[in-house]
Amino acid sequence: MPSDPTTTALRELLVRQLESWLPAARQRSRRATVALAYARRDVDSAEAALRLVAGQADRLSGLRLTVLVLADAAADLPARLGPIEAGLPADVAVHVVPGDPSRLPVALKAAGAAGAPLFSFLDADAGTAGAPDAAVLRAAAGGRPAEVLLRAGRAARVELDAVGFPLVTQVKLAAADGPTESITFGTGSDRSLEAFKEALWTAADVAGVRLGDPGGRLHDVAGDPDLDPLGRELLAELARTGPRTVTELRRHALLATVHRSSDAQRVLTDLLAAGVVTRDPAQGRLGGDVTISSSAGAPA
């Protein structure tokens, strides 16, 4: 039976995020862990993720990679993953662990994941009111560095911030006639945050879903995006905080809206051309260290 569009989008997002994370992990360390933990029955994304690992094997030479798959409700999962696992290099170990996301701390400790890059995907129960408990999120934050992609009953910005993820963004995946899924991403890397947003827009386009921001507004991703809401948000941020660098405003767009860093750059260029904001220095490339200020009398 085909997946609903939001599940398809999330599977595509997971694969694309791993595609950018794995080479970065290889550059930082000689070992790394990917943990995929499921409370739901749909574990197709585990198969897709492992196929991605197999496809990148030639780029991961020298990296001892452990892939943990925690799932309770998929008795056929080892048989489905077996043919893919058979083609993996010896440095990649796959462990299918019975259980749900609550077993993540034990599984990560057994795998020796601490102190090395860790990417966790937590697919929490659709019926729960919130994110996995704090012990699970602390375990996901134990990598050096750590990233987590969380699908839960609601967004978990506060919970991820509390366990040590300095950069957290949340969005919704909204199908035309179907469920809306809350997605939260936590990282410590601006580059990973940018990669997440690029992957998010591509995945949403592939699956034909819209993106919902924290305020509830839905955004179409096909074609040229409507950047007026982002422009208003950046002007509001300047009104709240005073002058900000381009880097700070791009980061705000990544954290507080559904938009990408490239969208923020376009908006700032347009606002400067319209005279709504000013820049210091006044000339030259619009680099990250350029300071942006609201013009006198500009609307907030």
Side-chain angles (χ1 to χ4, degrees), residues 7 32 252:
T7 298
H252 179 73

Side-chain angles (χ1 to χ4, degrees), residues 3-67:
S3 301
D4 65 78
T6 55
T7 298
T8 299
L10 184 58
R11 186 186 313 132
E12 184 75 16
L13 173 60
L14 170 62
V15 168
R16 289 180 178 275
Q17 193 64 24
L18 276 177
E19 188 174 18
S20 64
W21 181 85
L22 284 167
R26 168 65 183 85
Q27 291 178 356
R28 295 185 66 104
S29 176
R30 293 186 61 82
R31 62 184 179 91
T33 302
V34 172
L36 312 172
Y38 298 87
R40 308 183 186 207
R41 291 185 179 275
D42 178 31
V43 293
D44 289 349
S45 61
E47 188 174 353
L50 203 58
R51 289 190 186 280
L52 182 278
V53 172
Q56 288 212 349
D58 60 335
R59 301 173 61 187
L60 303 178
S61 177
L63 176 67
R64 291 187 290 111
L65 179 67
T66 299
V67 181

Side-chain angles (χ1 to χ4, degrees), residues 58-261:
D58 60 335
R59 301 173 61 187
L60 303 178
S61 177
L63 176 67
R64 291 187 290 111
L65 179 67
T66 299
V67 181
L68 301 174
V69 184
L70 285 74
D72 240 353
D76 66 334
L77 189 58
R80 291 168 58 185
L81 298 184
I84 310 172
E85 185 180 355
L88 293 172
D91 282 345
V92 180
V94 180
H95 302 287
V96 178
V97 182
D100 59 25
S102 67
R103 292 185 54 81
L104 184 68
V106 173
L108 289 177
K109 184 175 182 180
L118 169 62
F119 181 95
S120 300
F121 171 63
L122 306 179
D123 194 3
D125 193 334
T128 61
D133 64 33
V136 173
L137 297 181
R138 281 195 298 270
R144 293 294 179 270
E147 291 186 7
V148 63
L149 179 61
L150 171 65
R151 165 168 143 173
R154 63 177 173 84
R157 177 189 292 271
V158 174
E159 289 89 339
L160 289 183
D161 180 72
V163 299
F165 286 100
L167 301 174
V168 181
T169 189
Q170 58 190 45
V171 298
K172 292 182 183 295
L173 302 174
D177 297 304
T180 297
E181 296 283 1
S182 293
I183 306 298
T184 310
F185 178 69
T187 183
S189 164
D190 284 280
R191 182 173 296 182
S192 287
L193 185 61
E194 291 185 6
F196 168 75
K197 281 298 182 70
E198 293 291 344
L200 176 69
W201 278 66
T202 300
D205 190 23
V206 168
V209 301
R210 292 187 290 175
L211 300 177
D213 61 28
R217 179 185 174 90
L218 294 178
H219 301 259
D220 291 314
V221 299
D224 200 27
D226 177 11
L227 298 183
D228 287 345
L230 177 58
R232 290 192 292 271
E233 175 58 33
L234 294 183
L235 288 174
E237 177 69 0
L238 289 172
R240 286 189 295 264
T241 66
R244 303 292 296 274
T245 66
V246 170
T247 292
E248 290 170 332
L249 290 172
R250 284 199 305 247
R251 180 183 293 156
H252 179 73
L254 290 168
L255 294 175
T257 80
V258 303
H259 288 285
R260 302 157 292 184
S261 180

